[in-house]
Amino acid sequence: MSARYRSVNSGIHTNGSGVTINCPSASPTVGDLVLAFIAVEGGTGVTVTATGGWTSLLRADSTTNVGVEVFYKIAAAGDSYANFFTLGVDGDAVVGSIAIADVDQLDPIDGSDSLNSASTVSVVAPSVPATAGRQMFLTFHVAGADSQTSFTAPYGMTELLDTSAAGTPTVAICSGFVDLPGQTKYQVATAAAAFVNIGMAVSFNGDRRSIEQYGEVRMHDGTFGEVLMAPA
């Protein structure tokens, strides 16, 4: 069974409110993969540290203008998202989390990568591996500090989040699927105005326990469906 999007939540951390960040919860179900994202003004001049079982997946910066770091963990009963992230320097940031269901809990991430670019409206998420058929991936598109812009999602992808505030970077998150094993290909989101920017991509391994119980069939319209396999 392929991984699937469950929910997303985000908030704004404003300069002057301290270096400790509360990460809004996406209300995951136990066993979901949770990605926390922190996009900060200041780029290479601002570190982000995490406690509480979070593991850093990707970090990218566009000079000292903007930086973004993505962390992940498997959701457990009683998880809290408060006070687990600390900035090296107080500043404006977009922070949030996204829950992904039906992942392989022992090996949830198939591939991940990032690109940073000079000022342009085209914010490119790199190609990453998608080694199984019908595989979900996410792209993150981040425009520079105080950009206050918006994004148009890459062709064929669904925009899950598009948010910013005065002083902060603009963050869009989009989801898509790869039908055949290979790569996700480069995905280009278009910003309403040109800024220095960062693109990221993450692909996910589906729950192999489900794969043993379910088969996938291609429907007449080209999409995929799942059928419960009869016991041997």
Side-chain angles (χ1 to χ4, degrees):
M1 180 181 291
S2 60
R4 60 185 175 86
Y5 162 73
R6 186 183 300 282
S7 55
V8 66
N9 196 5
S10 68
I12 302 298
H13 178 85
T14 57
N15 191 1
S17 56
V19 297
T20 301
I21 291 181
N22 291 323
C23 180
S25 172
S27 300
T29 295
V30 171
D32 284 355
L33 175 68
V34 185
L35 301 178
F37 54 92
I38 299 95
V40 297
E41 67 165 340
T44 54
V46 182
T47 60
V48 181
T49 56
T51 58
W54 294 95
T55 299
S56 179
L57 177 64
L58 286 170
R59 170 71 192 235
D61 300 281
S62 186
T63 67
T64 56
N65 182 280
V66 59
V68 58
E69 191 156 0
V70 177
F71 300 84
Y72 73 96
K73 69 183 300 185
I74 298 296
D79 272 355
S80 171
Y81 295 82
N83 304 323
F84 282 130
F85 300 95
T86 304
L87 301 178
V89 178
D90 189 12
D92 295 310
V94 174
V95 58
S97 62
I98 182 166
I100 306 297
D102 298 331
V103 297
D104 182 339
Q105 294 182 23
L106 298 179
D107 185 23
I109 307 296
D110 189 17
S112 61
D113 202 359
S114 64
L115 284 174
N116 58 336
S117 302
S119 183
T120 176
V121 298
S122 298
V123 183
V124 182
S127 177
V128 295
T131 55
R134 190 57 179 169
Q135 192 158 344
M136 181 190 173
F137 68 100
L138 291 180
T139 57
F140 295 77
H141 306 270
V142 182
D146 202 25
S147 49
Q148 298 184 67
T149 188
S150 61
F151 286 102
T152 300
Y155 177 78
M157 298 192 71
T158 301
E159 188 176 73
L160 307 176
L161 178 74
D162 194 335
T163 187
S164 68
T168 75
T170 302
V171 177
I173 302 176
C174 304
S175 68
F177 284 90
V178 177
D179 284 341
L180 299 173
Q183 297 281 130
T184 62
K185 301 183 179 180
Y186 288 82
Q187 302 293 336
V188 182
T190 304
F195 294 92
V196 296
N197 61 74
I198 298 166
M200 292 179 165
V202 184
S203 57
F204 305 100
N205 291 318
D207 187 349
R208 289 180 171 85
R209 294 172 303 172
S210 297
I211 291 172
E212 293 173 356
Q213 299 172 0
Y214 287 82
E216 289 189 328
V217 294
R218 185 182 288 272
M219 312 301 248
H220 292 297
D221 62 359
T223 61
F224 281 85
E226 290 167 345
V227 293
L228 184 63
M229 306 297 286

